[in-house]
Amino acid sequence: MRMILGASLLLAVAAAASLMTGPVGWSDLDHQLLLLRLVRLLAGILAGAALAVAGVLMQGLFRNPLASPSVTGVSAGAALGVELALMGSVLMPGLLTILPAACLRPAAGCAGAALALGCLLAVARRRGDITSVVLLGMVLSMLFSALGAYLLSLANDRWELGRILVTFTLGGIDTATGRSVAVATPLVAVALGASWCWGRTLDVALSGEREAASLGVDTVAMMRWALVWTAVLAAAAVTLGGGIGFVGLIVPNVLRAYLGPGHRQLIVACALGGAAFLTAADVCARVLHPGPGEIPLGAITSLVGAPFFIWFFTRERAAGRL
Amino acid sequence: MPVTRSDWANAGALLGACLLALACGWTRAGTAGPAAGASGPAASPVRSADGSWVASGPYRRIISLDPAIDDALAEMGMATRLLAVSSWSYAHGSRARLLHQVPHQLPPGAALEDLLALHGDLVLVSGASDPLRSAQLRAAGMTVFNCGTERTAADAAQALRQVAALLGAGALGEELASRFLSRLDRVRDPRLPPLCACYVAIYGGELLGGTAGTTYHDLLIAAGLSDAAALHGWRDWPTYHLEDLVAMGPQVILTATGMGATLRALPGAGRIPALAAKRIIEVDPELLSLTGIGELEAAEAVAAGRRQLP
């Protein structure tokens, strides 16, 4: 409970800093600017919570603290979907009139994630073992990343398209709109609730697939739905923030060291901790850039996340906890 | 595979979340119907390049994020209506002096808050801008007009007509656009033979081109040259290998100032007729990169280089 309170406090501090940080001073802030900052804050909270909880689900499902949504290919699938939608919106502007602009990115992200998920579930249905799912997930991740790189190379010939795709790949929540946040909110909220409901089952599954099955756990259903909710969370996060890495690795591992492996408590703490981490990273992206402009959020999370994770991993390994 | 109660519960939750998300996003705001003008009586709406409609009106606090249109506004005598322009506008074009009088200069990647804090009544963006940024500005109550990509002279003329109509000066815009296109058409020297040419720049060892669908193509045509890359099926801004240039066999190379010697030093460059015969037109890279009506100056520079070729 103390950790959850601590994470809530961190989130409150990060949120206050986020609302107060920007090129326009606090005294000159009108309701429109405040609304903009609020939308950005909400986007950070949703994306951070989604990424961290997706990490908890993956690590619980694969019983491996180094697992993350990217292992299943779901993040890469969602990113590929969004990149295709961005290309479509530039090459065929009429596409935007068929589907509302706010729905285009989430729909494309969910479609990409669903494609990756469909492949995974097909394997899970036949083989049912986690090793096969992990292997296929890694292959899918590489495949979708390669396709994304190909799209980027195609976009090089069109300056405006290349710029949009590179910005998306670098990650950032500065382009979030009220409507994109509104679209992502029910997806993230329901997925968080469902993940919490699967918490007890994931706790039992920590003892191993066979042991869990002998205790009456439907491991196939657990795997199916853990993957589905991971896909929803990853797709929502990708559509809101693009390529943001490390949140799903850092936040669950840090909090698990203090809270233990119980999933329900961990999911609540990670939702708050992930939101606080990404909001704080977004504040850093705005504050640390010399001159006007911002550091890409994906670069900040990676710059902070990579060394932190190496330190954390070494420490935990030395203590025999990993 | 048996379907359990938890499957139904999860599937129901997923469906509910998706329907709710769709309901939240399902509004066509900003893409249909005329938007309200900033001040004065709204006249006929003008269709923006992104499909939204914007009411024409006497906008007087214009924030222009499209350097290609700034020159046109200056040419129409509307520079005083500009509240802010992109810093790119100051560096280019013969009308830079007029644009220097604009009160605010926005750095590349200016924050959304900086734009809103200016309290402009119209924001002009280019087709290269992020659609989400435009959506954010519209959501914050700003009138946004997308001028399109302006990749070619025809695009530039169309953008000019549209923006002039938006500002209530449709006839002036039409006249200026026609004059721009006809002057561009008269740049070439009809006495010179139509040589086959190609635009190539070299950066970091990469041979970067510009052909059909870009201003480079227009520059070559306006200077009385034919575009070898376009004739070979290339489009937009391709990256070439030396062999591609050999296959195209251009008689003239158009490049940025100082790059001719680098191109000639490339191994195998002697196989390219233009480089072997030193028929290279070098033009100031800033002039070459001009879009909008500034393209005319670049075309005149290319034509001048064409006249001096051996």
Side-chain angles (χ1 to χ4, degrees), chain A residues 258-283:
Chain A
Y258 296 101
L259 287 171
H263 278 90
R264 285 198 163 178
Q265 204 181 193
L266 195 58
I267 282 169
V268 176
C270 280
L272 293 166
F277 176 75
L278 204 64
T279 305
D282 185 45
V283 172

mmCIF file with all atom_site columns, all heavy atoms in Angstrom, chain A residues 258-283:
data_model
loop_
_atom_site.group_PDB
_atom_site.id
_atom_site.type_symbol
_atom_site.label_atom_id
_atom_site.label_alt_id
_atom_site.label_comp_id
_atom_site.label_asym_id
_atom_site.label_entity_id
_atom_site.label_seq_id
_atom_site.pdbx_PDB_ins_code
_atom_site.Cartn_x
_atom_site.Cartn_y
_atom_site.Cartn_z
_atom_site.occupancy
_atom_site.B_iso_or_equiv
_atom_site.pdbx_formal_charge
_atom_site.auth_seq_id
_atom_site.auth_comp_id
_atom_site.auth_asym_id
_atom_site.auth_atom_id
_atom_site.pdbx_PDB_model_num
ATOM 1   N N   . TYR A 1 258 ? 10.230 -4.286  -4.915  1.00 0.00 ? 258 TYR A N   1
ATOM 2   C CA  . TYR A 1 258 ? 9.724  -3.813  -3.621  1.00 0.00 ? 258 TYR A CA  1
ATOM 3   C C   . TYR A 1 258 ? 8.401  -4.471  -3.238  1.00 0.00 ? 258 TYR A C   1
ATOM 4   O O   . TYR A 1 258 ? 8.102  -4.649  -2.070  1.00 0.00 ? 258 TYR A O   1
ATOM 5   C CB  . TYR A 1 258 ? 9.545  -2.291  -3.656  1.00 0.00 ? 258 TYR A CB  1
ATOM 6   C CG  . TYR A 1 258 ? 10.848 -1.567  -3.848  1.00 0.00 ? 258 TYR A CG  1
ATOM 7   C CD1 . TYR A 1 258 ? 11.205 -1.070  -5.094  1.00 0.00 ? 258 TYR A CD1 1
ATOM 8   C CD2 . TYR A 1 258 ? 11.744 -1.419  -2.789  1.00 0.00 ? 258 TYR A CD2 1
ATOM 9   C CE1 . TYR A 1 258 ? 12.418 -0.420  -5.282  1.00 0.00 ? 258 TYR A CE1 1
ATOM 10  C CE2 . TYR A 1 258 ? 12.958 -0.781  -2.971  1.00 0.00 ? 258 TYR A CE2 1
ATOM 11  C CZ  . TYR A 1 258 ? 13.287 -0.286  -4.216  1.00 0.00 ? 258 TYR A CZ  1
ATOM 12  O OH  . TYR A 1 258 ? 14.494 0.340   -4.402  1.00 0.00 ? 258 TYR A OH  1
ATOM 13  N N   . LEU A 1 259 ? 7.590  -4.798  -4.260  1.00 0.00 ? 259 LEU A N   1
ATOM 14  C CA  . LEU A 1 259 ? 6.245  -5.302  -3.970  1.00 0.00 ? 259 LEU A CA  1
ATOM 15  C C   . LEU A 1 259 ? 6.138  -6.821  -3.970  1.00 0.00 ? 259 LEU A C   1
ATOM 16  O O   . LEU A 1 259 ? 5.169  -7.383  -3.482  1.00 0.00 ? 259 LEU A O   1
ATOM 17  C CB  . LEU A 1 259 ? 5.251  -4.764  -5.013  1.00 0.00 ? 259 LEU A CB  1
ATOM 18  C CG  . LEU A 1 259 ? 4.883  -3.288  -4.906  1.00 0.00 ? 259 LEU A CG  1
ATOM 19  C CD1 . LEU A 1 259 ? 4.091  -2.862  -6.121  1.00 0.00 ? 259 LEU A CD1 1
ATOM 20  C CD2 . LEU A 1 259 ? 4.066  -3.036  -3.653  1.00 0.00 ? 259 LEU A CD2 1
ATOM 21  N N   . GLY A 1 260 ? 7.122  -7.480  -4.598  1.00 0.00 ? 260 GLY A N   1
ATOM 22  C CA  . GLY A 1 260 ? 7.005  -8.924  -4.745  1.00 0.00 ? 260 GLY A CA  1
ATOM 23  C C   . GLY A 1 260 ? 6.230  -9.260  -6.007  1.00 0.00 ? 260 GLY A C   1
ATOM 24  O O   . GLY A 1 260 ? 5.794  -8.366  -6.738  1.00 0.00 ? 260 GLY A O   1
ATOM 25  N N   . PRO A 1 261 ? 6.016  -10.570 -6.247  1.00 0.00 ? 261 PRO A N   1
ATOM 26  C CA  . PRO A 1 261 ? 5.465  -10.980 -7.538  1.00 0.00 ? 261 PRO A CA  1
ATOM 27  C C   . PRO A 1 261 ? 3.929  -10.915 -7.657  1.00 0.00 ? 261 PRO A C   1
ATOM 28  O O   . PRO A 1 261 ? 3.402  -11.185 -8.724  1.00 0.00 ? 261 PRO A O   1
ATOM 29  C CB  . PRO A 1 261 ? 5.937  -12.430 -7.662  1.00 0.00 ? 261 PRO A CB  1
ATOM 30  C CG  . PRO A 1 261 ? 6.068  -12.898 -6.247  1.00 0.00 ? 261 PRO A CG  1
ATOM 31  C CD  . PRO A 1 261 ? 6.398  -11.701 -5.412  1.00 0.00 ? 261 PRO A CD  1
ATOM 32  N N   . GLY A 1 262 ? 3.218  -10.569 -6.583  1.00 0.00 ? 262 GLY A N   1
ATOM 33  C CA  . GLY A 1 262 ? 1.736  -10.543 -6.640  1.00 0.00 ? 262 GLY A CA  1
ATOM 34  C C   . GLY A 1 262 ? 1.237  -9.597  -7.736  1.00 0.00 ? 262 GLY A C   1
ATOM 35  O O   . GLY A 1 262 ? 1.540  -8.398  -7.693  1.00 0.00 ? 262 GLY A O   1
ATOM 36  N N   . HIS A 1 263 ? 0.498  -10.144 -8.711  1.00 0.00 ? 263 HIS A N   1
ATOM 37  C CA  . HIS A 1 263 ? 0.194  -9.369  -9.915  1.00 0.00 ? 263 HIS A CA  1
ATOM 38  C C   . HIS A 1 263 ? -0.825 -8.251  -9.705  1.00 0.00 ? 263 HIS A C   1
ATOM 39  O O   . HIS A 1 263 ? -0.712 -7.196  -10.331 1.00 0.00 ? 263 HIS A O   1
ATOM 40  C CB  . HIS A 1 263 ? -0.266 -10.298 -11.035 1.00 0.00 ? 263 HIS A CB  1
ATOM 41  C CG  . HIS A 1 263 ? 0.888  -10.934 -11.736 1.00 0.00 ? 263 HIS A CG  1
ATOM 42  N ND1 . HIS A 1 263 ? 1.420  -12.135 -11.340 1.00 0.00 ? 263 HIS A ND1 1
ATOM 43  C CD2 . HIS A 1 263 ? 1.651  -10.503 -12.757 1.00 0.00 ? 263 HIS A CD2 1
ATOM 44  C CE1 . HIS A 1 263 ? 2.445  -12.434 -12.117 1.00 0.00 ? 263 HIS A CE1 1
ATOM 45  N NE2 . HIS A 1 263 ? 2.606  -11.467 -12.986 1.00 0.00 ? 263 HIS A NE2 1
ATOM 46  N N   . ARG A 1 264 ? -1.834 -8.493  -8.865  1.00 0.00 ? 264 ARG A N   1
ATOM 47  C CA  . ARG A 1 264 ? -2.882 -7.465  -8.734  1.00 0.00 ? 264 ARG A CA  1
ATOM 48  C C   . ARG A 1 264 ? -2.307 -6.150  -8.191  1.00 0.00 ? 264 ARG A C   1
ATOM 49  O O   . ARG A 1 264 ? -2.560 -5.083  -8.734  1.00 0.00 ? 264 ARG A O   1
ATOM 50  C CB  . ARG A 1 264 ? -4.002 -7.975  -7.847  1.00 0.00 ? 264 ARG A CB  1
ATOM 51  C CG  . ARG A 1 264 ? -4.862 -8.983  -8.594  1.00 0.00 ? 264 ARG A CG  1
ATOM 52  C CD  . ARG A 1 264 ? -6.185 -9.183  -7.944  1.00 0.00 ? 264 ARG A CD  1
ATOM 53  N NE  . ARG A 1 264 ? -7.099 -9.816  -8.873  1.00 0.00 ? 264 ARG A NE  1
ATOM 54  C CZ  . ARG A 1 264 ? -8.330 -10.154 -8.569  1.00 0.00 ? 264 ARG A CZ  1
ATOM 55  N NH1 . ARG A 1 264 ? -8.804 -9.915  -7.364  1.00 0.00 ? 264 ARG A NH1 1
ATOM 56  N NH2 . ARG A 1 264 ? -9.108 -10.723 -9.459  1.00 0.00 ? 264 ARG A NH2 1
ATOM 57  N N   . GLN A 1 265 ? -1.514 -6.305  -7.121  1.00 0.00 ? 265 GLN A N   1
ATOM 58  C CA  . GLN A 1 265 ? -0.896 -5.120  -6.523  1.00 0.00 ? 265 GLN A CA  1
ATOM 59  C C   . GLN A 1 265 ? 0.086  -4.480  -7.496  1.00 0.00 ? 265 GLN A C   1
ATOM 60  O O   . GLN A 1 265 ? 0.146  -3.253  -7.638  1.00 0.00 ? 265 GLN A O   1
ATOM 61  C CB  . GLN A 1 265 ? -0.170 -5.548  -5.241  1.00 0.00 ? 265 GLN A CB  1
ATOM 62  C CG  . GLN A 1 265 ? -0.011 -4.418  -4.281  1.00 0.00 ? 265 GLN A CG  1
ATOM 63  C CD  . GLN A 1 265 ? 0.724  -4.863  -3.033  1.00 0.00 ? 265 GLN A CD  1
ATOM 64  O OE1 . GLN A 1 265 ? 0.727  -4.163  -2.070  1.00 0.00 ? 265 GLN A OE1 1
ATOM 65  N NE2 . GLN A 1 265 ? 1.353  -6.022  -3.043  1.00 0.00 ? 265 GLN A NE2 1
ATOM 66  N N   . LEU A 1 266 ? 0.821  -5.363  -8.202  1.00 0.00 ? 266 LEU A N   1
ATOM 67  C CA  . LEU A 1 266 ? 1.834  -4.880  -9.141  1.00 0.00 ? 266 LEU A CA  1
ATOM 68  C C   . LEU A 1 266 ? 1.178  -4.111  -10.287 1.00 0.00 ? 266 LEU A C   1
ATOM 69  O O   . LEU A 1 266 ? 1.707  -3.083  -10.740 1.00 0.00 ? 266 LEU A O   1
ATOM 70  C CB  . LEU A 1 266 ? 2.614  -6.089  -9.691  1.00 0.00 ? 266 LEU A CB  1
ATOM 71  C CG  . LEU A 1 266 ? 3.929  -5.795  -10.405 1.00 0.00 ? 266 LEU A CG  1
ATOM 72  C CD1 . LEU A 1 266 ? 4.899  -5.056  -9.503  1.00 0.00 ? 266 LEU A CD1 1
ATOM 73  C CD2 . LEU A 1 266 ? 4.557  -7.096  -10.898 1.00 0.00 ? 266 LEU A CD2 1
ATOM 74  N N   . ILE A 1 267 ? 0.050  -4.592  -10.763 1.00 0.00 ? 267 ILE A N   1
ATOM 75  C CA  . ILE A 1 267 ? -0.623 -3.928  -11.892 1.00 0.00 ? 267 ILE A CA  1
ATOM 76  C C   . ILE A 1 267 ? -1.070 -2.523  -11.485 1.00 0.00 ? 267 ILE A C   1
ATOM 77  O O   . ILE A 1 267 ? -0.873 -1.555  -12.228 1.00 0.00 ? 267 ILE A O   1
ATOM 78  C CB  . ILE A 1 267 ? -1.807 -4.798  -12.390 1.00 0.00 ? 267 ILE A CB  1
ATOM 79  C CG1 . ILE A 1 267 ? -1.256 -5.942  -13.247 1.00 0.00 ? 267 ILE A CG1 1
ATOM 80  C CG2 . ILE A 1 267 ? -2.811 -3.970  -13.201 1.00 0.00 ? 267 ILE A CG2 1
ATOM 81  C CD1 . ILE A 1 267 ? -2.247 -7.017  -13.597 1.00 0.00 ? 267 ILE A CD1 1
ATOM 82  N N   . VAL A 1 268 ? -1.628 -2.392  -10.297 1.00 0.00 ? 268 VAL A N   1
ATOM 83  C CA  . VAL A 1 268 ? -2.074 -1.062  -9.833  1.00 0.00 ? 268 VAL A CA  1
ATOM 84  C C   . VAL A 1 268 ? -0.865 -0.133  -9.687  1.00 0.00 ? 268 VAL A C   1
ATOM 85  O O   . VAL A 1 268 ? -0.862 1.008   -10.179 1.00 0.00 ? 268 VAL A O   1
ATOM 86  C CB  . VAL A 1 268 ? -2.831 -1.180  -8.485  1.00 0.00 ? 268 VAL A CB  1
ATOM 87  C CG1 . VAL A 1 268 ? -3.189 0.201   -7.962  1.00 0.00 ? 268 VAL A CG1 1
ATOM 88  C CG2 . VAL A 1 268 ? -4.089 -2.011  -8.663  1.00 0.00 ? 268 VAL A CG2 1
ATOM 89  N N   . ALA A 1 269 ? 0.190  -0.660  -9.023  1.00 0.00 ? 269 ALA A N   1
ATOM 90  C CA  . ALA A 1 269 ? 1.380  0.175   -8.800  1.00 0.00 ? 269 ALA A CA  1
ATOM 91  C C   . ALA A 1 269 ? 2.047  0.543   -10.121 1.00 0.00 ? 269 ALA A C   1
ATOM 92  O O   . ALA A 1 269 ? 2.527  1.667   -10.302 1.00 0.00 ? 269 ALA A O   1
ATOM 93  C CB  . ALA A 1 269 ? 2.369  -0.564  -7.901  1.00 0.00 ? 269 ALA A CB  1
ATOM 94  N N   . CYS A 1 270 ? 2.073  -0.416  -11.082 1.00 0.00 ? 270 CYS A N   1
ATOM 95  C CA  . CYS A 1 270 ? 2.726  -0.154  -12.363 1.00 0.00 ? 270 CYS A CA  1
ATOM 96  C C   . CYS A 1 270 ? 1.929  0.855   -13.197 1.00 0.00 ? 270 CYS A C   1
ATOM 97  O O   . CYS A 1 270 ? 2.519  1.655   -13.923 1.00 0.00 ? 270 CYS A O   1
ATOM 98  C CB  . CYS A 1 270 ? 2.910  -1.442  -13.145 1.00 0.00 ? 270 CYS A CB  1
ATOM 99  S SG  . CYS A 1 270 ? 4.335  -2.360  -12.575 1.00 0.00 ? 270 CYS A SG  1
ATOM 100 N N   . ALA A 1 271 ? 0.612  0.777   -13.098 1.00 0.00 ? 271 ALA A N   1
ATOM 101 C CA  . ALA A 1 271 ? -0.203 1.749   -13.839 1.00 0.00 ? 271 ALA A CA  1
ATOM 102 C C   . ALA A 1 271 ? 0.142  3.164   -13.366 1.00 0.00 ? 271 ALA A C   1
ATOM 103 O O   . ALA A 1 271 ? 0.354  4.073   -14.170 1.00 0.00 ? 271 ALA A O   1
ATOM 104 C CB  . ALA A 1 271 ? -1.687 1.458   -13.639 1.00 0.00 ? 271 ALA A CB  1
ATOM 105 N N   . LEU A 1 272 ? 0.245  3.320   -12.043 1.00 0.00 ? 272 LEU A N   1
ATOM 106 C CA  . LEU A 1 272 ? 0.584  4.636   -11.483 1.00 0.00 ? 272 LEU A CA  1
ATOM 107 C C   . LEU A 1 272 ? 2.050  5.000   -11.763 1.00 0.00 ? 272 LEU A C   1
ATOM 108 O O   . LEU A 1 272 ? 2.368  6.115   -12.172 1.00 0.00 ? 272 LEU A O   1
ATOM 109 C CB  . LEU A 1 272 ? 0.336  4.640   -9.967  1.00 0.00 ? 272 LEU A CB  1
ATOM 110 C CG  . LEU A 1 272 ? -1.126 4.527   -9.539  1.00 0.00 ? 272 LEU A CG  1
ATOM 111 C CD1 . LEU A 1 272 ? -1.217 4.197   -8.053  1.00 0.00 ? 272 LEU A CD1 1
ATOM 112 C CD2 . LEU A 1 272 ? -1.862 5.824   -9.840  1.00 0.00 ? 272 LEU A CD2 1
ATOM 113 N N   . GLY A 1 273 ? 2.942  4.007   -11.558 1.00 0.00 ? 273 GLY A N   1
ATOM 114 C CA  . GLY A 1 273 ? 4.381  4.242   -11.747 1.00 0.00 ? 273 GLY A CA  1
ATOM 115 C C   . GLY A 1 273 ? 4.721  4.524   -13.201 1.00 0.00 ? 273 GLY A C   1
ATOM 116 O O   . GLY A 1 273 ? 5.523  5.420   -13.496 1.00 0.00 ? 273 GLY A O   1
ATOM 117 N N   . GLY A 1 274 ? 4.113  3.765   -14.123 1.00 0.00 ? 274 GLY A N   1
ATOM 118 C CA  . GLY A 1 274 ? 4.358  3.984   -15.557 1.00 0.00 ? 274 GLY A CA  1
ATOM 119 C C   . GLY A 1 274 ? 3.891  5.364   -15.977 1.00 0.00 ? 274 GLY A C   1
ATOM 120 O O   . GLY A 1 274 ? 4.576  6.064   -16.725 1.00 0.00 ? 274 GLY A O   1
ATOM 121 N N   . ALA A 1 275 ? 2.730  5.749   -15.477 1.00 0.00 ? 275 ALA A N   1
ATOM 122 C CA  . ALA A 1 275 ? 2.193  7.077   -15.791 1.00 0.00 ? 275 ALA A CA  1
ATOM 123 C C   . ALA A 1 275 ? 3.129  8.162   -15.266 1.00 0.00 ? 275 ALA A C   1
ATOM 124 O O   . ALA A 1 275 ? 3.436  9.137   -15.968 1.00 0.00 ? 275 ALA A O   1
ATOM 125 C CB  . ALA A 1 275 ? 0.800  7.225   -15.189 1.00 0.00 ? 275 ALA A CB  1
ATOM 126 N N   . ALA A 1 276 ? 3.617  7.968   -14.023 1.00 0.00 ? 276 ALA A N   1
ATOM 127 C CA  . ALA A 1 276 ? 4.527  8.961   -13.434 1.00 0.00 ? 276 ALA A CA  1
ATOM 128 C C   . ALA A 1 276 ? 5.838  9.020   -14.203 1.00 0.00 ? 276 ALA A C   1
ATOM 129 O O   . ALA A 1 276 ? 6.363  10.101  -14.480 1.00 0.00 ? 276 ALA A O   1
ATOM 130 C CB  . ALA A 1 276 ? 4.790  8.606   -11.965 1.00 0.00 ? 276 ALA A CB  1
ATOM 131 N N   . PHE A 1 277 ? 6.359  7.844   -14.580 1.00 0.00 ? 277 PHE A N   1
ATOM 132 C CA  . PHE A 1 277 ? 7.647  7.793   -15.285 1.00 0.00 ? 277 PHE A CA  1
ATOM 133 C C   . PHE A 1 277 ? 7.563  8.512   -16.626 1.00 0.00 ? 277 PHE A C   1
ATOM 134 O O   . PHE A 1 277 ? 8.409  9.348   -16.963 1.00 0.00 ? 277 PHE A O   1
ATOM 135 C CB  . PHE A 1 277 ? 8.058  6.327   -15.496 1.00 0.00 ? 277 PHE A CB  1
ATOM 136 C CG  . PHE A 1 277 ? 9.328  6.158   -16.289 1.00 0.00 ? 277 PHE A CG  1
ATOM 137 C CD1 . PHE A 1 277 ? 10.557 6.417   -15.713 1.00 0.00 ? 277 PHE A CD1 1
ATOM 138 C CD2 . PHE A 1 277 ? 9.286  5.752   -17.616 1.00 0.00 ? 277 PHE A CD2 1
ATOM 139 C CE1 . PHE A 1 277 ? 11.735 6.273   -16.447 1.00 0.00 ? 277 PHE A CE1 1
ATOM 140 C CE2 . PHE A 1 277 ? 10.451 5.609   -18.354 1.00 0.00 ? 277 PHE A CE2 1
ATOM 141 C CZ  . PHE A 1 277 ? 11.679 5.863   -17.767 1.00 0.00 ? 277 PHE A CZ  1
ATOM 142 N N   . LEU A 1 278 ? 6.510  8.210   -17.402 1.00 0.00 ? 278 LEU A N   1
ATOM 143 C CA  . LEU A 1 278 ? 6.414  8.812   -18.741 1.00 0.00 ? 278 LEU A CA  1
ATOM 144 C C   . LEU A 1 278 ? 6.108  10.319  -18.653 1.00 0.00 ? 278 LEU A C   1
ATOM 145 O O   . LEU A 1 278 ? 6.628  11.101  -19.452 1.00 0.00 ? 278 LEU A O   1
ATOM 146 C CB  . LEU A 1 278 ? 5.341  8.100   -19.581 1.00 0.00 ? 278 LEU A CB  1
ATOM 147 C CG  . LEU A 1 278 ? 5.571  8.244   -21.080 1.00 0.00 ? 278 LEU A CG  1
ATOM 148 C CD1 . LEU A 1 278 ? 6.860  7.573   -21.511 1.00 0.00 ? 278 LEU A CD1 1
ATOM 149 C CD2 . LEU A 1 278 ? 4.413  7.700   -21.871 1.00 0.00 ? 278 LEU A CD2 1
ATOM 150 N N   . THR A 1 279 ? 5.311  10.686  -17.667 1.00 0.00 ? 279 THR A N   1
ATOM 151 C CA  . THR A 1 279 ? 5.021  12.119  -17.493 1.00 0.00 ? 279 THR A CA  1
ATOM 152 C C   . THR A 1 279 ? 6.295  12.868  -17.124 1.00 0.00 ? 279 THR A C   1
ATOM 153 O O   . THR A 1 279 ? 6.572  13.948  -17.671 1.00 0.00 ? 279 THR A O   1
ATOM 154 C CB  . THR A 1 279 ? 3.954  12.313  -16.392 1.00 0.00 ? 279 THR A CB  1
ATOM 155 O OG1 . THR A 1 279 ? 2.814  11.518  -16.735 1.00 0.00 ? 279 THR A OG1 1
ATOM 156 C CG2 . THR A 1 279 ? 3.522  13.752  -16.280 1.00 0.00 ? 279 THR A CG2 1
ATOM 157 N N   . ALA A 1 280 ? 7.089  12.282  -16.220 1.00 0.00 ? 280 ALA A N   1
ATOM 158 C CA  . ALA A 1 280 ? 8.350  12.924  -15.828 1.00 0.00 ? 280 ALA A CA  1
ATOM 159 C C   . ALA A 1 280 ? 9.308  12.983  -17.014 1.00 0.00 ? 280 ALA A C   1
ATOM 160 O O   . ALA A 1 280 ? 9.989  14.003  -17.224 1.00 0.00 ? 280 ALA A O   1
ATOM 161 C CB  . ALA A 1 280 ? 8.987  12.148  -14.675 1.00 0.00 ? 280 ALA A CB  1
ATOM 162 N N   . ALA A 1 281 ? 9.352  11.901  -17.811 1.00 0.00 ? 281 ALA A N   1
ATOM 163 C CA  . ALA A 1 281 ? 10.228 11.889  -18.994 1.00 0.00 ? 281 ALA A CA  1
ATOM 164 C C   . ALA A 1 281 ? 9.794  12.974  -19.982 1.00 0.00 ? 281 ALA A C   1
ATOM 165 O O   . ALA A 1 281 ? 10.640 13.628  -20.603 1.00 0.00 ? 281 ALA A O   1
ATOM 166 C CB  . ALA A 1 281 ? 10.173 10.517  -19.659 1.00 0.00 ? 281 ALA A CB  1
ATOM 167 N N   . ASP A 1 282 ? 8.496  13.172  -20.099 1.00 0.00 ? 282 ASP A N   1
ATOM 168 C CA  . ASP A 1 282 ? 7.988  14.195  -21.020 1.00 0.00 ? 282 ASP A CA  1
ATOM 169 C C   . ASP A 1 282 ? 8.357  15.606  -20.537 1.00 0.00 ? 282 ASP A C   1
ATOM 170 O O   . ASP A 1 282 ? 8.667  16.482  -21.337 1.00 0.00 ? 282 ASP A O   1
ATOM 171 C CB  . ASP A 1 282 ? 6.461  14.049  -21.151 1.00 0.00 ? 282 ASP A CB  1
ATOM 172 C CG  . ASP A 1 282 ? 5.892  14.990  -22.189 1.00 0.00 ? 282 ASP A CG  1
ATOM 173 O OD1 . ASP A 1 282 ? 6.480  15.086  -23.283 1.00 0.00 ? 282 ASP A OD1 1
ATOM 174 O OD2 . ASP A 1 282 ? 4.873  15.654  -21.910 1.00 0.00 ? 282 ASP A OD2 1
ATOM 175 N N   . VAL A 1 283 ? 8.352  15.783  -19.227 1.00 0.00 ? 283 VAL A N   1
ATOM 176 C CA  . VAL A 1 283 ? 8.781  17.084  -18.669 1.00 0.00 ? 283 VAL A CA  1
ATOM 177 C C   . VAL A 1 283 ? 10.261 17.294  -19.000 1.00 0.00 ? 283 VAL A C   1
ATOM 178 O O   . VAL A 1 283 ? 10.673 18.373  -19.440 1.00 0.00 ? 283 VAL A O   1
ATOM 179 C CB  . VAL A 1 283 ? 8.536  17.139  -17.144 1.00 0.00 ? 283 VAL A CB  1
ATOM 180 C CG1 . VAL A 1 283 ? 9.164  18.390  -16.541 1.00 0.00 ? 283 VAL A CG1 1
ATOM 181 C CG2 . VAL A 1 283 ? 7.042  17.105  -16.843 1.00 0.00 ? 283 VAL A CG2 1
#
